Amino acid sequence: MPKSNSPQRGRSHQRVTLADVARAVGVSTMTASRAITRPELVTPELRAQIEKAIASLGYVPNRAARSLASARSHVIAVLIPSLSNAVFTDVLAGIQDAVDAEGYQVLIGNTRYSDAEEEKLVNIHLQSNPDGVILTGLTQSDKVRQMLAASRVPTVSMMDLSDDPDRYSVGLSQFDAGATITRHLLEKGYRRIGFIASQLDERTIKRAEGYRHALREAGLYDARREILVPDPSTIALGAELVGRLLAVAPDCDAVFCCNDDLAYGAIYQCQRRGIAIPRKLAICGFNDLPASAWMNPSVTTIATPRYRIGYESASLLKRLIEGERPEHRRIDLGYTLMAREST
């Protein structure tokens, strides 16, 4: 059978262009483009016709072509260390809400708490010419810092606060928060306070430093009461770690868990062993995940403004993209001690 030379057959495999949309409505390509990029300059009636043609033809704007014309990609790259951690789910929601109205596309990269993975992702994202980058934390490798400096792409760091005058950051003092919850335990009368931690990222390390500082101030620090492991945080790990802590320091009267997951596991372990909380052992966590208020007993913890961190980080980045240079480079959103039944 001879091959068909029908133009219709060939066209079915071609990408629908803006010119096709303009032709369907009977306007110039420039007018169709304006209806997409500057809709306020097109009459509502004409805009409705163009939108109808776009839907009918299945036209998808060519973002690459638009970025060449405007020197903007309308893409923001966001690097977080975990996609399964509820902390970063809230942060991402804040980022998305902050940029949706301006039509930015958010590209999410999961570094998995790995410097090598972060280097790879930064390299990949910079090739897409993002308008800006949001990083998690402050301890990027020299290679990442060099790539970002060479690209001159506006960058904001979130979750922690930088003292670098050339760096924009949004978050809270992890050190102060760790000290605050430890002092809360001291004020409640606890004197043999343990600490369990996992993952051991920079934020966990700073909470541990705050814990030690508060205990040293009180003359009560004892290194035997610390158990820190690099494993990912889970409820099961919390149960295991509190068991290990009580094996080496059975006289502990309180435990500061570096996050709420570990605190939940510690509570379940104590309940299995018949250890009354808080009468025999007080337990507190960090981050104030939704379940913390509903555990039995409810969990004393530090509430971190995760959604606001994401929202304010993206809002600050948008200002940098627009060429502003905000006076305040360090936005401290603080934290809240949530004193509950477990202490």
Side-chain angles (χ1 to χ4, degrees):
M1 182 180 293
K3 292 183 180 179
S4 169
N5 293 318
S6 164
Q8 184 66 33
R9 178 183 177 89
R11 185 163 188 79
S12 67
H13 297 286
Q14 295 175 4
R15 179 188 180 106
V16 175
T17 67
L18 188 59
D20 296 326
V21 174
R23 197 161 32 245
V25 180
V27 298
S28 69
T29 302
M30 183 176 292
T31 299
S33 175
R34 190 177 295 122
I36 296 171
T37 60
R38 298 290 301 279
E40 71 277 6
L41 300 180
V42 180
T43 65
E45 295 79 8
L46 183 54
R47 190 164 68 241
Q49 292 179 48
I50 293 171
E51 289 172 352
K52 183 177 179 180
I54 287 172
S56 174
L57 295 171
Y59 170 66
V60 178
N62 188 330
R63 189 176 293 275
R66 285 172 61 190
S67 68
L68 287 174
S70 65
R72 290 279 184 86
S73 64
H74 265 71
V75 168
I76 290 175
V78 179
L79 301 187
I80 59 172
S82 172
L83 291 174
S84 60
N85 190 327
V87 168
F88 296 104
T89 302
D90 293 340
V91 170
L92 289 173
I95 291 172
Q96 195 71 59
D97 285 352
V99 302
D100 265 353
E102 284 77 14
Y104 282 102
Q105 179 183 355
V106 178
L107 296 184
I108 302 168
N110 178 12
T111 68
R112 303 181 215 178
Y113 295 94
S114 163
D115 285 348
E117 190 69 18
E118 186 170 51
E119 290 172 5
K120 182 180 80 173
L121 289 169
V122 168
N123 185 37
I124 290 170
H125 286 319
L126 288 179
Q127 292 177 40
S128 300
N129 189 34
D131 288 344
V133 175
I134 297 178
L135 302 170
T136 299
L138 305 172
T139 57
Q140 281 71 39
S141 69
D142 288 342
K143 185 174 180 180
V144 166
R145 287 195 290 270
Q146 289 165 0
M147 285 190 288
L148 291 171
S151 73
R152 298 187 179 180
V153 173
T155 303
V156 172
S157 299
M158 63 179 180
M159 305 304 291
D160 211 334
L161 299 172
S162 175
D163 293 323
D164 184 343
D166 295 324
R167 190 165 192 170
Y168 290 92
S169 61
V170 179
L172 65 139
S173 171
Q174 303 286 337
F175 176 94
D176 288 351
T180 292
I181 201 161
T182 306
R183 291 188 184 114
H184 166 74
L185 292 171
L186 291 168
E187 290 164 5
K188 297 285 286 186
Y190 301 106
R191 291 294 177 266
R192 300 178 299 279
I193 303 169
F195 180 75
I196 61 174
S198 63
Q199 200 67 67
L200 307 188
D201 58 84
E202 60 186 292
R203 290 167 296 285
T204 294
I205 297 302
K206 288 180 179 179
R207 291 169 204 166
E209 290 170 351
Y211 154 84
R212 294 171 191 138
H213 177 75
L215 288 181
R216 285 180 176 131
E217 276 186 333
L220 294 171
Y221 176 66
D222 183 347
R224 294 181 309 113
R225 302 188 191 281
E226 286 187 20
I227 296 186
L228 293 85
V229 299
D231 312 58
S233 175
T234 64
I235 292 174
L237 183 62
E240 177 189 335
L241 293 184
V242 80
R244 286 170 56 181
L245 175 64
L246 293 176
V248 297
D251 62 339
C252 279
D253 57 8
V255 181
F256 170 21
C257 306
C258 80
N259 60 48
D260 285 354
D261 286 349
L262 297 183
Y264 303 161
I267 287 173
Y268 292 144
Q269 179 72 280
C270 288
Q271 289 171 341
R272 289 175 67 88
R273 295 187 179 199
I275 299 171
I277 304 171
R279 186 168 58 84
K280 291 292 186 182
L281 187 68
I283 293 175
C284 57
F286 199 100
N287 277 320
D288 194 27
L289 298 182
S292 296
W294 298 100
M295 287 283 290
N296 185 20
S298 57
V299 181
T300 292
T301 185
I302 291 286
T304 53
R306 300 180 294 278
Y307 176 90
R308 281 195 63 210
I309 287 173
Y311 192 94
E312 296 297 338
S313 296
S315 298
L316 176 58
L317 185 63
K318 286 191 301 180
R319 295 176 64 189
L320 296 174
I321 291 169
E322 294 300 325
E324 295 184 41
R325 289 297 175 264
E327 179 182 354
H328 299 293
R329 293 173 175 259
R330 189 175 187 265
I331 301 177
D332 187 351
L333 297 179
Y335 54 87
T336 305
L337 172 67
M338 308 299 291
R340 298 194 179 108
E341 298 167 346
S342 67
T343 58

